[in-house]
Amino acid sequence: SSGINAEYGREVTSYCYLGIEIQNTGSFSLARTELKKKAMRSLYGLKSTVNKSKLSFRALTTLFDSLIKPIVLYGAPIYTPTMSAIKQIAMQLSTTKTHTNKTSILKKISLLNSEKVHLHFLKWALGVNRKACNAGVWGATGRYPLI
């Protein structure tokens, strides 16, 4: 038969282009999930290789910034502007003056896939419980969220 599908192939639900999974709806949620999985796999490798008691916190963060951060933020300039969470945060920031709303903004940031990896690393590097306060971890380390 003739037509576009006969010439160019079948329709797919997602396509991997330069390591980024693009869904046929235009969503990048699968890409962010896959990048989080890859970054966590690398982070577990780092954690099993490094003796954190022998390295300074600064050395650990340098390793994270060199080995893990590029994985988790790969393609971020492409998919970040389309994220609904980012749009919600931007809208809240433009209208927020109260402490309660700023707390909810930090909560939304901590739920992003890239930030989950970052916080997992920071809590491990500090040696605190995984349920430790995220704002406290950011404050104690002097680091900002990745987005």
Side-chain angles (χ1 to χ4, degrees):
S1 77
S2 64
I4 292 175
N5 286 340
E7 281 184 50
Y8 297 106
R10 59 184 167 75
E11 183 177 334
V12 294
T13 56
S14 68
Y15 181 75
C16 184
Y17 181 72
L18 297 176
I20 298 291
E21 285 287 330
I22 304 168
Q23 293 174 298
N24 61 357
T25 60
S27 172
F28 290 99
S29 60
L30 184 59
R32 291 190 303 271
T33 303
E34 288 301 312
L35 289 170
K36 179 189 174 198
K37 286 180 190 174
K38 290 176 183 179
M40 287 303 288
R41 202 173 309 127
S42 296
L43 180 56
Y44 290 134
L46 176 68
K47 286 168 62 174
S48 67
T49 305
V50 169
N51 182 355
K52 72 175 182 176
S53 64
K54 302 277 188 206
L55 292 175
S56 68
F57 180 78
R58 185 171 180 187
L60 289 172
T61 56
T62 301
L63 284 171
F64 176 85
D65 291 343
S66 303
L67 301 172
I68 313 300
K69 189 174 169 183
I71 296 169
V72 79
L73 292 180
Y74 181 73
I78 308 287
Y79 62 72
T80 302
T82 65
M83 293 171 59
S84 62
I86 299 298
K87 291 175 185 173
Q88 289 173 1
I89 290 167
M91 191 171 70
Q92 271 189 306
L93 282 172
S94 65
T95 61
T96 297
K97 299 290 186 260
T98 65
H99 172 69
T100 309
N101 287 340
K102 289 181 181 170
T103 304
S104 71
I105 291 170
L106 289 177
K107 176 72 174 165
K108 284 181 182 166
I109 290 172
S110 71
L111 294 174
L112 298 172
N113 281 340
S114 57
E115 200 52 41
K116 285 181 182 178
V117 175
H118 187 221
L119 286 167
H120 181 96
F121 163 77
L122 291 175
K123 289 175 183 181
W124 168 76
L126 287 174
V128 298
N129 189 297
R130 64 185 183 88
K131 293 187 177 186
C133 173
N134 295 334
V137 170
W138 285 318
T141 60
R143 290 179 63 97
Y144 296 102
L146 295 178
I147 61 155

